[in-house]
Amino acid sequence: MVQGKISRLSVRDLRFPTSLGGHGSDHTDPDYSAAYVILETDAEDGLKGYGITFTLGKGTEVVVCAVDALAHHVLNKDLGDIVGDFRGFYRQLTSDGQLRLVLRKVLCIWLQQPFSMLCGTMGQAGGKEEQMLMHGYPAYTTSCAWLEYSDDMLKQLCTQAPKGGWTRFKVKVGADLQDDILRCRLIRNMIGPEKTLMMDANQRWDVPEAVEWVSKLAEFKPLWIEEPTSPDDILGHATISKALVPLGIGVAIGEMCHNRVMFKQLLQAEALQFLQSDSCRLGSVNESLSVLLMAKKFEIPVCPHAGGVGLCELVQHLILFDFISISASLTNRMCEYVDHLLEHFKYPVIIKNASYVAPKLSGEAGYYTEMKEESVKKHQYPDGKVWKKLLTAQRN
Amino acid sequence: MVQGKISRLSVRDLRFPTSLGGHGSDHTDPDYSAAYVILETDAEDGLKGYGITFTLGKGTEVVVCAVDALAHHVLNKDLGDIVGDFRGFYRQLTSDGQLRLVLRKVLCIWLQQPFSMLCGTMGQAGGKEEQMLMHGYPAYTTSCAWLEYSDDMLKQLCTQAPKGGWTRFKVKVGADLQDDILRCRLIRNMIGPEKTLMMDANQRWDVPEAVEWVSKLAEFKPLWIEEPTSPDDILGHATISKALVPLGIGVAIGEMCHNRVMFKQLLQAEALQFLQSDSCRLGSVNESLSVLLMAKKFEIPVCPHAGGVGLCELVQHLILFDFISISASLTNRMCEYVDHLLEHFKYPVIIKNASYVAPKLSGEAGYYTEMKEESVKKHQYPDGKVWKKLLTAQRN
């Protein structure tokens, strides 16, 4: 049993100047960023917890402020009490009488708990754990087709990718139909008819526009269209699903979905064929698990959103748990993977043969996201070395 | 035409220690609070704008931080440019490329614009404007039945209220069924069978529980049950509506609804019979107007949420606009009114005969919420006089 108390909470505003490179072109000039939380304990072994939430630059200071507003629910808490009543702890964090009006996005803060502890709870893992340890969990890559990449860059990426074993590719669409047709044709030709292609519109369309636009891309056989319209438009997604499923195209949505109740709507309304939960947008492991269980009930595959900063490191534990203890299936299931910014993590995910390698049961890294001290120091906003330099250059 | 530029934005964390009195018992120990924004301009007449968003104490500092994060979209903007392209200005505030991932609640910041300007845009006001100026807009009171008020206090309030012309009353329910039955019986007996009674559950139930509980209160003839379950559970509210409408009870919801897309879901799913938009939760007048127009299309009456801090002062303009230029009906329409904290406003709403008195067309106060300087000074958190005293007392 864990022993000790949470003795200190510190939070950092970390920003990576990705807007300089054209990566992550789904948002306007994003600087991939994170509010990074470190929990210290007075445990004898010096146990620490590392949490993160993904942001896009400006506004990270608001999330930092929100973490500070929640700190009193965490500080001085006994670790045994937390583990003994996860639900009570989670409710306290998400239902603070005064804060609940303000905070509808609760940060994902968790203590280091190895994956083995999670999957122990449900048993029934027979053979599945071994399968994951041997082969890993299938991944797909979004690194190869941002809107702003040139054709030459696309060609180069599409040629390299299969060498790494990649068989599933996602392309960003929705800015210009003719350009989409050209890029999708290029990519489909490069990867061949057997490989899987997905499309991501990042909420660019209204409902009829989505149906019309995607119908014109149907010849490139996308498995799904992701975020065709406003993420809150549950019934709009149901309409889009109804129109596109007969064309063999599913709707994928969920990265902006803030709680289990919204996912319940999407599932009940038959608004999605692929569920893309986000481990930072959902408040904690508790909320994520309830979404995995609902998806199982509705027989909808979970293909989590990842990438950003630290999302891959968190989500790998959830998908392994999903396979071993809930879904028991890999059909139509895969987890997003983006190879940016991994170098800043002490225990980055490991990808082999286009699959997430299962973290070792005896390893150090559980559901947490410890970053390298040097990276943290350099990328603190606005006082880290990287930003001092950039901000000075901007001024001159 | 307005002339000048926005030259300064300042924001204050104002808190009122309402948790000491048992008012507002729908939230645990709330201190009714607000992030209060003052926009200064360089216009010759010294034009200023005053905006507010309502909070419950802790966490107000997070909203203050969010205002600061948006400030660069407002500072140095030309007033003529804003008025000339309200839509563009609104989009800029709500769709900042980096901030949109973080800010899903955008503050209601608006410059002083008299009510006359709004209603001029749609014409067709024939007679309705005069009707509003003469009789005002019907209000209902929530001041008389918080859960924690004693029976004697309830009796006293119910006796006083009809003297002020009140004919519509709202009671908080959902903590204990037997207690609800006793209080509802007491109130219904006091007000008689003709007066209107509404019930508010503040999200306490799940879906089947809501149907069962409210069915047991049906004998007291409530017009509506407000927030029976999670505000995101659109299809759950549709189920509750289907069960309760045959009993003559409608579902009222909307105060937690953060944008027009969510309201579209509620309307399309037939999840509500009364729409309770909140002028601070919705980002700006633009968002509020689109909700009023959708409600008209679906023929659902709008009965806005008010009370809190400054909500009545804002919403009075929206309901007058709704009546004069959109709905043209008062059937089943009324606006919430709570008489707390009005003394802190320079131009508080005026209630006569249980109706909101229309602000004078030639008056100074438009869609804005200027507070008295003395009130602002005293209630700043944590350095105002009121809080210094309370915090010192707590320490001792």
Side-chain angles (χ1 to χ4, degrees):
Chain A
M1 199 60 189
V2 283
Q3 286 199 327
K5 277 188 181 183
I6 295 173
S7 52
R8 189 160 178 259
L9 181 155
S10 55
V11 52
R12 309 281 167 77
D13 179 341
L14 303 183
R15 308 190 189 186
F16 301 89
T18 48
S19 62
L20 305 177
H23 310 299
S25 63
D26 45 346
H27 307 278
T28 319
D29 298 331
D31 288 324
Y32 276 21
S33 303
Y36 177 57
V37 177
I38 304 175
L39 298 183
E40 293 174 38
T41 69
D42 61 7
E44 274 179 24
D45 61 356
L47 181 71
K48 288 186 187 183
Y50 302 87
I52 215 163
T53 200
F54 172 49
T55 54
L56 292 179
K58 277 187 285 176
T60 308
E61 74 278 15
V62 181
V63 183
V64 166
C65 188
V67 171
D68 283 327
L70 284 167
H72 65 285
H73 285 298
V74 174
L75 280 172
N76 299 316
K77 281 278 175 322
D78 185 86
L79 300 180
D81 291 347
I82 294 175
V83 173
D85 181 18
F86 270 133
R87 189 175 99 152
F89 178 61
Y90 155 76
R91 290 244 163 124
Q92 201 175 29
L93 273 169
T94 54
S95 305
D96 181 298
Q98 295 197 352
L99 277 165
R100 63 192 281 273
L101 202 75
V102 169
L103 298 178
R104 302 254 285 175
K105 178 183 178 181
V106 175
L107 300 176
C108 172
I109 301 161
W110 214 255
L111 279 171
Q112 172 182 9
Q113 292 297 343
F115 159 63
S116 56
M117 190 179 146
L118 269 178
C119 59
T121 57
M122 298 193 68
Q124 306 303 332
K128 306 228 157 38
E129 204 171 313
E130 291 67 30
Q131 185 184 340
M132 286 294 107
L133 285 168
M134 181 133 11
H135 302 291
Y137 195 97
Y140 73 87
T141 175
T142 310
S143 309
C144 75
W146 301 108
L147 288 174
E148 290 157 33
Y149 283 3
S150 69
D151 283 2
D152 280 349
M153 193 160 174
L154 272 188
K155 275 186 200 166
Q156 196 193 337
L157 286 163
C158 288
T159 317
Q160 284 169 354
K163 290 178 196 156
W166 294 102
T167 59
R168 307 172 190 89
F169 306 88
K170 193 162 82 183
V171 54
K172 300 279 177 181
V173 298
D176 178 276
L177 181 59
Q178 288 316 311
D179 182 56
D180 285 352
I181 291 173
L182 290 175
R183 280 183 313 117
C184 289
R185 181 167 294 139
L186 180 80
I187 295 171
R188 180 49 90 193
N189 285 340
M190 299 290 295
I191 64 177
E194 300 305 321
K195 303 275 198 304
T196 305
L197 181 65
M198 288 88 75
M199 298 179 180
D200 185 357
N202 289 104
Q203 314 165 25
R204 283 175 181 260
W205 304 310
D206 64 23
V207 174
E209 199 181 4
V211 172
E212 204 188 318
W213 196 301
V214 180
S215 299
K216 286 178 181 150
L217 299 174
E219 61 175 302
F220 307 112
K221 307 268 177 221
L223 177 68
W224 75 51
I225 177 68
E226 181 171 330
E227 286 205 320
T229 191
S230 162
D232 291 331
D233 196 351
I234 294 147
L235 300 177
H237 282 92
T239 303
I240 297 169
S241 290
K242 217 171 164 181
L244 295 181
V245 166
L247 305 179
I249 306 169
V251 166
I253 183 165
E255 70 179 87
M256 298 289 276
C257 209
H258 54 278
N259 63 25
R260 65 191 186 281
V261 180
M262 287 297 281
F263 275 112
K264 189 177 75 159
Q265 311 305 302
L266 290 163
L267 290 164
Q268 286 181 328
E270 301 180 21
L272 79 181
Q273 286 69 49
F274 300 90
L275 188 154
Q276 301 181 298
S277 50
D278 179 299
S279 51
C280 280
R281 168 93 35 193
L282 287 175
S284 87
V285 172
N286 297 43
E287 199 84 12
S288 292
L289 293 189
S290 65
V291 171
L292 293 178
L293 289 164
M294 278 194 293
K296 165 72 175 171
K297 184 178 151 81
F298 284 85
E299 292 179 21
I300 292 292
V302 176
C303 302
H305 176 243
V309 180
L311 297 181
C312 298
E313 282 66 29
L314 291 177
V315 84
Q316 60 178 340
H317 299 275
L318 297 175
I319 50 171
L320 289 170
F321 180 70
D322 186 36
F323 175 69
I324 295 173
S325 297
I326 304 181
S327 78
S329 163
L330 292 178
T331 309
N332 272 335
R333 283 172 175 84
M334 53 192 137
C335 186
E336 188 164 17
Y337 169 70
V338 188
D339 68 358
H340 300 150
L341 306 174
L342 298 176
E343 65 274 22
H344 302 297
F345 287 87
K346 202 159 164 191
Y347 306 100
V349 288
I350 300 166
I351 296 285
K352 253 189 209 159
N353 263 328
S355 293
Y356 277 87
V357 172
K360 285 206 195 82
L361 294 178
S362 56
E364 283 180 291
Y367 191 78
Y368 83 163
T369 49
E370 184 174 358
M371 296 180 83
K372 292 177 185 162
E373 267 181 47
E374 183 61 19
S375 291
V376 172
K377 234 165 115 181
K378 268 164 69 176
H379 293 93
Q380 286 200 65
Y381 186 88
D383 294 327
K385 212 158 86 185
V386 166
W387 286 105
K388 268 201 172 144
K389 208 171 146 189
L390 279 168
L391 295 170
T392 311
Q394 247 174 39
R395 258 179 248 119
N396 302 334
Chain B
M1 198 59 188
V2 282
Q3 286 199 328
K5 276 188 181 180
I6 296 173
S7 53
R8 187 159 179 259
L9 182 153
S10 54
V11 53
R12 310 280 167 78
D13 180 340
L14 303 183
R15 307 191 189 184
F16 301 89
T18 48
S19 62
L20 304 178
H23 310 300
S25 63
D26 46 346
H27 307 278
T28 318
D29 297 332
D31 287 324
Y32 276 21
S33 303
Y36 177 57
V37 177
I38 304 175
L39 297 181
E40 293 174 40
T41 70
D42 61 6
E44 276 179 24
D45 61 358
L47 181 71
K48 288 186 186 181
Y50 301 87
I52 216 163
T53 200
F54 172 49
T55 53
L56 292 180
K58 278 186 283 175
T60 308
E61 74 278 14
V62 181
V63 182
V64 166
C65 187
V67 172
D68 283 328
L70 285 166
H72 65 285
H73 286 298
V74 174
L75 280 171
N76 299 315
K77 281 278 174 322
D78 185 87
L79 299 181
D81 290 347
I82 294 176
V83 174
D85 182 17
F86 271 132
R87 191 176 98 151
F89 178 60
Y90 154 75
R91 290 245 163 124
Q92 203 175 28
L93 272 169
T94 54
S95 305
D96 180 298
Q98 295 197 353
L99 275 166
R100 64 192 280 274
L101 203 74
V102 169
L103 297 178
R104 300 255 286 177
K105 176 183 180 181
V106 175
L107 299 177
C108 172
I109 299 162
W110 215 253
L111 279 172
Q112 172 181 10
Q113 292 298 342
F115 159 63
S116 58
M117 190 179 146
L118 269 178
C119 57
T121 57
M122 298 195 66
Q124 307 304 333
K128 305 227 158 38
E129 204 170 314
E130 291 68 29
Q131 183 184 340
M132 286 293 108
L133 286 168
M134 181 133 13
H135 302 291
Y137 196 97
Y140 74 86
T141 175
T142 310
S143 310
C144 77
W146 301 107
L147 288 175
E148 289 158 33
Y149 284 3
S150 69
D151 283 2
D152 280 348
M153 194 160 174
L154 272 187
K155 276 186 198 166
Q156 198 194 338
L157 287 162
C158 288
T159 317
Q160 283 168 354
K163 290 177 195 156
W166 294 101
T167 59
R168 307 172 190 88
F169 305 88
K170 193 162 82 185
V171 53
K172 301 279 178 182
V173 297
D176 177 276
L177 181 59
Q178 288 315 312
D179 182 55
D180 285 351
I181 291 174
L182 290 176
R183 280 182 314 116
C184 288
R185 181 167 294 142
L186 180 81
I187 295 171
R188 180 49 92 192
N189 284 340
M190 299 290 296
I191 64 176
E194 300 304 320
K195 304 276 197 302
T196 305
L197 181 65
M198 286 89 74
M199 297 178 181
D200 185 356
N202 289 103
Q203 313 165 26
R204 283 176 181 258
W205 303 311
D206 64 24
V207 174
E209 199 182 4
V211 172
E212 203 189 319
W213 196 301
V214 179
S215 299
K216 287 181 180 149
L217 299 174
E219 62 174 303
F220 308 112
K221 307 269 176 218
L223 177 67
W224 76 49
I225 178 67
E226 183 171 330
E227 287 205 318
T229 191
S230 161
D232 291 333
D233 195 351
I234 293 146
L235 301 177
H237 281 92
T239 303
I240 297 169
S241 290
K242 218 172 165 183
L244 295 181
V245 166
L247 305 179
I249 306 168
V251 166
I253 182 164
E255 69 179 87
M256 298 290 277
C257 207
H258 54 278
N259 64 24
R260 64 191 186 283
V261 180
M262 286 298 280
F263 275 112
K264 189 177 75 159
Q265 311 307 301
L266 289 164
L267 290 163
Q268 287 181 329
E270 301 181 22
L272 80 182
Q273 285 68 49
F274 300 90
L275 188 153
Q276 303 182 296
S277 50
D278 179 300
S279 50
C280 281
R281 168 89 41 188
L282 287 175
S284 87
V285 172
N286 298 44
E287 199 84 12
S288 292
L289 293 188
S290 65
V291 172
L292 293 178
L293 290 164
M294 277 194 292
K296 166 73 176 169
K297 185 177 149 82
F298 283 86
E299 293 179 21
I300 291 292
V302 176
C303 302
H305 176 243
V309 180
L311 298 181
C312 297
E313 282 66 31
L314 291 176
V315 83
Q316 60 178 339
H317 299 275
L318 298 174
I319 50 171
L320 289 169
F321 179 71
D322 186 37
F323 176 69
I324 296 171
S325 297
I326 304 180
S327 78
S329 164
L330 291 179
T331 309
N332 272 335
R333 283 170 175 85
M334 53 190 136
C335 186
E336 188 164 18
Y337 170 70
V338 188
D339 68 358
H340 300 150
L341 306 174
L342 299 174
E343 66 273 22
H344 302 297
F345 288 87
K346 202 159 164 190
Y347 306 101
V349 288
I350 299 167
I351 296 286
K352 253 189 209 158
N353 262 326
S355 294
Y356 277 88
V357 173
K360 284 206 195 82
L361 294 177
S362 57
E364 284 179 291
Y367 192 77
Y368 83 163
T369 48
E370 184 174 359
M371 296 179 83
K372 292 177 185 162
E373 268 181 44
E374 183 61 19
S375 290
V376 172
K377 237 165 112 181
K378 268 163 68 177
H379 293 92
Q380 286 199 68
Y381 185 88
D383 293 327
K385 213 158 82 186
V386 166
W387 287 105
K388 267 200 172 145
K389 210 172 142 188
L390 279 168
L391 296 171
T392 311
Q394 248 175 39
R395 257 178 249 121
N396 300 336

